Amino acid sequence: MAQVKGYIEKIKFRNEENGYTVMSVSGADDGEEYILVGTFSYLSEGEMIDASGSMTVHPVYGEQLQVEHYEILAPEDTVSMEKYLASGAIKGIGAALAKRIVKKFRQDTFRIMEEEPERLAEIKGISERMAMEISDQVEEKKEMRQAMMFLQGYGISMNLAVKIYKEYGPMVYTVLQKNPYKLADDISGVGFRMADEIAAKAGIAVDSDFRICSGILYTLVQASVNGNTCLPETELRAQAAEILGVDADLIDKHLMDMQIDKRIVVKLRPDGERMVYASRFYYMENGIAGMLHDLNISGNEPEEEIRKNLAIIQERDGITLDELQIQAVVQAVNRGLLVITGGPGTGKTTTINAIISYFEQGDMKILLAAPTGRAAKRMTEATGREAKTIHRLLEISGIPDEEDRINQALEGRSTMHFEKDEDNPLEADAVIIDEMSMVDVALMHSLLKAVSVGTRLILVGDVDQLPSVGPGNVLRDIIGSACVPVVRLTHIFRQAAKSDIIVNAHKINEGQPVDLGKRSEDFLFLKRADANAIINCMITLVRDKLPEYVKSGVYDVQIMTPMRKGALGVERLNRIFQQYLNPASPDKREKEMGDVLYREGDKVMQIKNNYQIEWKRRGRGGVILDEGTGIFNGDMGIIREINLPAELITVEFDEGHLVEYAFGDLDQLEHAYAITIHKSQGSEYPAVVVPVLSGPRVLMTRNLIYTAVTRARSCVCIVGLPDAFASMAENAMEQKRYSGLKDRIMEICL
């Protein structure tokens, strides 16, 4: 057994997935350079390591120590201390400052940093604030190293351990010992099975009360991933018993206990079916129902007067409203709450503009918002007034305080935090929200908390589109309750009727046949019989034909496909189109993570909400014009830079928001040359290309192809088999989504 003790001079290679590292170490006693290889917890250049293992001879790199055991030591002498501090391990300390610190405090340097950090301000060039920041870094590195060792004791890989520590910080011990199943909720790459293995290592028995309760909650969480806010009790019993590998009778006992502990809520539906909620979803839906009821108040302005004023606006603005649109304006003026729904070409935007003009005549303050950046941008273009994402409207902020964060993690609550709420409401006379079909229960609940009674709330969307990616059926449940004023626009206006995109979208929605052979300027069906022929046709369309046809860039042509897997799935199409639209070049840096290759110039999409990630918008000369936090599921951008030494990828999103991703966080991004139709919600593209071939009936549905077609502004090209398209258009099946908002609203208003 050989042993090496010394400073880590340079980390030559590091695999972030498993922690495998090659590094050079300067011997503490002899100053000789040693090469150490092995799997290590978090460490930095400049640190002192005491390692033991077997000396081996590499055919290329020569003698190296294959490390079997190691320990990171505090620097023992002034030379070691100075070397560590000068290595860059502590931000803000360079060689000159390191020399002054060690000269002043000598052997006492690290004790001062940990126990009396304010004394660092005695050094020229260190303020009191900087002294505390240095102390915090020293403590954080110490805590992180201890946590890495702790996590690896549970068989957790280096890369995953770093993610876990970033998520929980010092509370990681509490989470693992109290509820290791929480990892499956919060950490990408941890599923229930892995969490279950960790729980077993933590000594949690298979039939323990804690494990079964966690398994029930996990089943409900998994249901929420599929859009449900609740599950029928019979389905929950069966699913939880299968996941946990226990008898269903054990589930029954714990359901009662969990109700008593208020971790779940069980409600009877009008038909007698028992529905089980994770408590947070029940209280969200109940809260939404109550706040909608409070907002739903009536005004007393005479309708005749409203119509008279509206006629003046129509003449002034050169618009003509039909009776339904006029009714929408009347309701908007005289009601505190209104829903406007309708398909493409039915005048939703014109109606919104008429409502805005009416309100502005009365000097009312109006706020506009939509769920995504792209939808907000479209709203801005359509109204000529600033529209924000709902998150920005509510002023999303950073991480809550540590105590609340711990409670959120253990209870499964979201860690997103908005500055605008019931104590700090939106200052407006009216709030108009577009693309409401995309809004889930959590976002709706946060929005309503920030809208005061007396502020008009107008919700606009197409109820026939796919429901939100997140849990709930918000727009559909509100309309279905029949307790809220709803205006459904149905008339297709003459200008819109000239578009085959709009005409055919309505035919699809109404189950009418579409003439795929018609020569059209904006709706094309190209017949191809197999996947490879479809792909070849799409390459020609996306790369060569459509950008010029719609007078836009190649990345503005969006491929949308019904599925993720398979010959025409997102994963395969993205690999193929990366080769054709952004081929390898000596001028483009690349980074491979797992089986995904990221390249400068790639079109990418954020695939999970990240409320804390920071973005900056820069102007000429790199001057920062704006900055904030939050990038959200579905946001698209372009990889502008891959910095290999710093292990960072910079992505530019819509509105010029620049975000830096560490290599270990790239699981938040995926290529977006092709996206699923679900991910297209709320967006609009100059041209859309949709491959249509065979697929599962439960997936190939009418509202899926309807949503895809309505995402195109100037041209939609469908490539595949006419029979497959017809089958989708005829398939009115909708995936069952369990929610209770409709019932909650009806309980309050009836």
Side-chain angles (χ1 to χ4, degrees):
M1 182 78 70
Q3 185 169 8
V4 171
K5 181 179 179 183
Y7 327 107
I8 301 171
E9 290 279 3
K10 186 168 183 58
I11 295 175
K12 296 176 175 288
F13 171 79
R14 186 173 190 79
N15 185 323
E16 295 295 344
E17 292 295 322
N18 55 26
Y20 179 79
T21 305
V22 179
M23 59 188 174
S24 62
V25 172
S26 176
D29 298 326
D30 54 19
E32 291 287 324
E33 183 184 45
Y34 297 90
I35 301 298
L36 275 61
V37 298
T39 300
F40 298 91
S41 298
Y42 181 81
L43 43 71
S44 303
E45 293 175 355
E47 292 187 300
M48 176 80 77
I49 189 171
D50 186 357
S52 59
S54 304
M55 279 293 184
T56 59
V57 179
H58 191 279
V60 176
Y61 303 110
E63 190 175 58
Q64 54 190 29
L65 180 69
Q66 186 72 45
V67 177
E68 297 172 15
H69 304 283
Y70 74 95
E71 184 179 0
I72 299 295
L73 307 173
E76 298 174 340
D77 53 61
T78 55
V79 175
S80 304
M81 291 176 183
E82 184 178 333
K83 199 174 187 72
Y84 173 70
L85 292 176
S87 70
I90 305 297
K91 290 180 182 178
I93 300 181
L97 195 51
K99 188 178 186 69
R100 293 203 295 272
I101 293 171
V102 175
K103 184 178 179 180
K104 171 76 175 177
F105 299 116
R106 303 196 62 76
Q107 296 282 1
D108 230 12
T109 295
F110 278 84
R111 187 194 66 77
I112 293 290
M113 285 182 167
E114 291 180 11
E115 298 177 12
E116 301 177 72
E118 66 279 358
R119 290 193 59 196
L120 291 172
E122 297 172 18
I123 307 295
K124 183 180 179 181
I126 300 181
S127 64
E128 289 186 9
R129 178 179 176 181
M130 184 179 177
M132 300 311 296
E133 288 175 352
I134 290 170
S135 175
D136 289 344
Q137 286 187 65
V138 171
E139 185 63 28
E140 184 181 355
K141 284 181 176 290
K142 181 179 176 182
E143 288 178 352
M144 187 169 186
R145 189 179 299 114
Q146 291 171 344
M148 294 298 101
M149 299 294 287
F150 172 76
L151 292 168
Q152 287 183 308
Y154 286 93
I156 296 170
S157 71
M158 175 65 191
N159 194 41
L160 204 51
V162 171
K163 284 185 186 178
I164 292 170
Y165 186 79
K166 281 183 179 179
E167 178 70 23
Y168 301 123
M171 72 180 201
V172 65
Y173 308 99
T174 306
V175 172
L176 256 71
Q177 290 164 0
K178 285 191 173 182
N179 185 4
Y181 298 95
K182 189 73 191 88
L183 297 175
D185 299 344
D186 294 339
I187 310 297
S188 176
V190 179
F192 178 78
R193 301 303 177 196
M194 182 182 289
D196 212 22
E197 289 175 12
I198 294 169
K201 290 178 181 177
I204 296 173
V206 172
D207 62 349
S208 74
D209 292 349
F210 183 79
R211 179 176 183 264
I212 293 172
C213 289
S214 296
I216 291 170
L217 286 176
Y218 175 75
T219 305
L220 290 171
V221 167
Q222 288 302 103
S224 74
V225 171
N226 294 321
N228 305 292
T229 60
C230 55
L231 281 178
E233 189 177 65
T234 51
E235 285 193 30
L236 175 64
R237 287 177 78 253
Q239 291 180 25
E242 182 178 356
I243 287 171
L244 291 164
V246 299
D247 192 279
D249 291 342
L250 277 176
I251 306 297
D252 290 338
K253 172 186 178 299
H254 287 87
L255 285 176
M256 181 62 70
D257 293 341
M258 291 172 76
Q259 285 184 75
I260 294 170
D261 293 339
K262 297 185 178 179
R263 300 175 74 185
I264 63 170
V265 173
V266 179
K267 293 290 290 184
L268 277 177
R269 299 198 67 175
D271 60 6
E273 188 172 32
R274 289 167 59 86
M275 306 299 293
V276 184
Y277 295 78
S279 292
R280 63 188 177 119
F281 285 129
Y282 172 76
Y283 291 117
M284 275 183 191
E285 289 191 338
N286 205 48
I288 289 169
M291 288 184 283
L292 288 174
H293 178 267
D294 292 344
L295 289 172
N296 191 17
I297 57 180
S298 298
N300 56 11
E301 189 167 343
E303 182 173 335
E304 184 179 336
E305 188 69 22
I306 298 172
R307 286 176 175 267
K308 180 180 174 182
N309 293 334
L310 187 55
I312 296 171
I313 291 172
Q314 291 184 75
E315 184 174 352
R316 183 196 69 195
D317 295 346
I319 60 173
T320 302
L321 303 180
D322 71 5
E323 180 57 30
L324 287 172
Q325 291 174 305
I326 292 171
Q327 277 299 319
V329 178
V330 170
Q331 295 271 38
V333 173
N334 257 344
R335 299 301 297 258
L337 178 65
L338 173 66
V339 174
I340 301 172
T341 187
T346 56
K348 294 192 297 295
T349 299
T350 303
T351 306
I352 291 173
N353 283 330
I355 291 169
I356 292 171
S357 294
Y358 196 101
F359 286 164
E360 286 180 341
Q361 276 198 163
D363 293 325
M364 294 172 61
K365 183 178 179 182
I366 306 156
L367 296 176
L368 309 179
T372 67
R374 283 177 173 263
K377 185 177 179 181
R378 285 174 55 205
M379 197 178 189
T380 297
E381 292 168 350
T383 63
R385 296 158 180 86
E386 183 188 17
K388 298 179 179 179
T389 63
I390 298 174
H391 292 87
R392 289 192 68 191
L393 180 74
L394 299 180
E395 297 179 13
I396 190 165
S397 66
I399 305 172
D401 64 62
E402 188 64 19
E403 182 179 354
D404 192 38
R405 182 168 162 74
I406 291 172
N407 291 334
Q408 286 173 337
L410 291 174
E411 295 169 17
R413 292 188 281 120
S414 168
T415 56
M416 69 177 171
H417 175 72
F418 296 110
E419 293 297 326
K420 294 295 183 182
D421 56 19
E422 60 269 45
D423 298 321
N424 181 28
L426 294 166
E427 295 179 6
D429 297 299
V431 177
I432 303 176
I433 307 295
D434 199 8
E435 294 288 357
M436 266 300 299
S437 63
M438 297 181 65
V439 176
D440 62 23
V441 289
L443 190 55
M444 187 64 177
H445 188 257
S446 296
L447 171 66
L448 290 174
K449 286 200 300 180
V451 179
S452 301
V453 174
T455 296
R456 293 171 174 83
L457 179 63
I458 299 162
L459 309 175
V460 185
D462 184 349
V463 74
D464 295 316
Q465 284 193 28
L466 293 169
S468 59
V469 174
N473 242 338
V474 174
L475 182 60
R476 189 164 294 187
D477 279 354
I478 291 173
I479 293 172
S481 71
C483 295
V484 172
V486 176
V487 176
R488 185 184 287 270
L489 304 177
T490 56
H491 175 67
I492 303 176
F493 285 84
R494 184 170 58 186
Q495 189 64 31
K498 296 177 182 177
S499 166
D500 284 323
I501 292 175
I502 291 173
V503 171
N504 288 338
H506 282 275
K507 285 182 177 180
I508 291 167
N509 197 37
E510 294 162 8
Q512 299 177 17
V514 174
D515 181 2
L516 300 180
K518 178 184 176 183
R519 293 180 64 85
S520 171
E521 292 184 358
D522 63 359
F523 189 99
L524 291 80
F525 191 96
L526 302 173
K527 185 177 179 180
R528 298 293 186 275
D530 63 76
N532 289 333
I534 289 173
I535 291 170
N536 288 333
C537 180
M538 289 198 301
I539 290 169
T540 302
L541 287 168
V542 174
R543 185 185 61 184
D544 305 326
K545 301 292 186 182
L546 288 175
E548 182 179 352
Y549 184 73
V550 297
K551 303 294 188 290
S552 196
V554 66
Y555 281 4
D556 292 325
V557 179
Q558 186 60 57
I559 299 169
M560 296 179 191
T561 181
M563 59 201 75
R564 291 198 57 83
K565 304 287 186 180
L568 293 172
V570 163
E571 295 174 7
R572 182 175 184 231
L573 291 178
N574 273 320
R575 287 193 296 269
I576 291 170
F577 277 85
Q578 183 189 42
Q579 296 173 27
Y580 283 94
L581 302 185
N582 188 33
S585 164
D587 300 329
K588 297 175 184 175
R589 283 164 290 197
E590 300 177 348
K591 175 61 182 177
E592 190 168 5
M593 294 292 286
D595 59 352
V596 180
L597 178 68
Y598 297 93
R599 180 178 295 140
E600 288 177 341
D602 273 342
K603 182 180 180 181
V604 292
M605 173 186 280
Q606 176 83 8
I607 59 170
K608 60 190 288 190
N609 288 334
N610 187 329
Y611 304 107
Q612 280 81 48
I613 197 166
E614 297 178 352
W615 55 261
K616 292 180 172 65
R617 186 166 60 86
R618 298 185 183 275
R620 289 184 178 180
V623 176
I624 296 175
L625 302 177
D626 193 12
E627 56 188 337
T629 58
I631 297 293
F632 307 106
N633 189 356
D635 287 353
M636 283 192 185
I638 306 293
I639 295 177
R640 296 302 185 195
E641 182 185 6
I642 297 179
N643 188 328
L644 295 171
E647 299 191 342
L648 292 173
I649 285 184
T650 301
V651 178
E652 181 178 359
F653 288 95
D654 288 341
E655 301 177 345
H657 292 177
L658 293 166
V659 178
E660 288 185 342
Y661 291 84
F663 285 174
D665 295 328
L666 290 181
D667 58 354
Q668 297 182 42
L669 293 175
E670 66 178 30
H671 288 101
Y673 300 103
I675 62 174
T676 62
I677 296 170
H678 277 88
K679 288 286 190 182
S680 73
Q681 290 170 268
S683 298
E684 185 180 77
Y685 308 91
V688 165
V689 179
V690 185
V692 173
L693 207 57
S694 59
R697 181 170 171 77
V698 69
L699 186 64
M700 309 291 279
T701 62
R702 176 184 296 170
N703 67 345
L704 196 74
I705 194 65
Y706 171 76
T707 299
V709 169
T710 57
R711 297 307 87 205
R713 181 165 65 242
S714 301
C715 183
V716 60
C717 295
I718 302 173
V719 187
L721 290 174
D723 287 350
F725 174 87
S727 177
M728 286 186 78
E730 291 168 3
N731 182 11
M733 177 192 301
E734 292 185 22
Q735 186 174 356
K736 180 66 175 176
R737 179 173 280 213
Y738 296 108
S739 65
L741 179 58
K742 176 182 171 182
D743 294 338
R744 303 290 82 76
I745 295 172
M746 293 175 70
E747 286 172 357
I748 290 175
C749 79
L750 296 182

